[in-house]
Amino acid sequence: MPPKVPTFADQLAAARFSAVHLEMRDSYSVAKEVEAFAAWRDGFRHDPDDRESWWRPWLALIEETVARGVEVRRVRIVSEPVSEYIRFEHSGTFTNIAAGEQIRWLPRRQASDIALPGNDFWLFDGELVRFNHFTGEGDSAGPSLSDDPAVARLCATAFEAAWDRAVPHEKYTV
């Protein structure tokens, strides 16, 4: 039996100085986003001035983490033209930024010469990797962990290379 993976909230709470996230899929079908994605397709958009309507526990967790001095950064590697799902993500990214997360977008063509791990991941303090696994349809297939220094180095190098090339959210249009 594989070891139990701590909750993401516990891992983020244990982070001392950094938590970086690399996303590489053009669509996700995670259950908790189904209703929000359908509403977005029907024309719903969050009102940036009505924070109470879009603030949620995930954002509070990020805000608390950043307030402790942990830098939280994310790069999304995307195909262009972007998928409908990426347009959905892009439209709601202002909420992550309001919580203190830094987000950049990297067109996939500009990532061709970056050695990337096979799965999306979070890297905590440059030491612990939480891989996010997905099915072919984009449903969550659960996380796994690695504290192998070589794996952490691969993920750190991939993330920083992508970060350096990526476009800050406020300058990336879909």
Side-chain angles (χ1 to χ4, degrees), residues 25-28 37 40-41 77-90 105 108 172 174:
R25 295 181 58 93
D26 287 318
S27 68
Y28 296 84
F37 187 40
W40 179 86
R41 279 180 158 166
I77 297 176
V78 296
S79 300
E80 292 181 323
V82 299
S83 68
E84 181 182 40
Y85 182 86
I86 293 301
R87 288 194 312 276
F88 160 71
E89 273 194 328
H90 189 272
W105 302 81
R108 192 171 309 282
Y172 187 76
V174 295

Side-chain angles (χ1 to χ4, degrees), residues 103-123:
I103 300 180
R104 293 185 180 181
W105 302 81
L106 180 62
R108 192 171 309 282
R109 287 180 178 268
Q110 295 176 25
S112 295
D113 62 345
I114 299 173
L116 298 167
N119 295 288
D120 291 7
F121 66 85
W122 279 89
L123 175 63

Side-chain angles (χ1 to χ4, degrees), residues 40 44-46 54 56 59 76 85-98 103 105 169:
W40 179 86
F44 173 81
R45 300 296 182 269
H46 290 293
W54 49 260
R56 58 192 188 278
L59 299 171
R76 292 177 170 144
Y85 182 86
I86 293 301
R87 288 194 312 276
F88 160 71
E89 273 194 328
H90 189 272
S91 75
T93 294
F94 76 89
T95 66
N96 300 72
I97 292 168
I103 300 180
W105 302 81
H169 174 73

Side-chain angles (χ1 to χ4, degrees), residues 14 18 64 76 101 107 128 134 140 143 165:
S18 70
E64 292 165 12
R76 292 177 170 144
E101 188 174 353
L128 180 65
F134 296 92
S140 176
R165 293 181 189 182

Side-chain angles (χ1 to χ4, degrees), residues 11 21 35 38 44 51 64 73 97 126 130 142 144:
Q11 288 183 290
H21 185 34
E35 287 182 28
F44 173 81
R51 179 177 163 130
E64 292 165 12
R73 297 182 294 156
I97 292 168
R130 180 187 181 105
S144 65

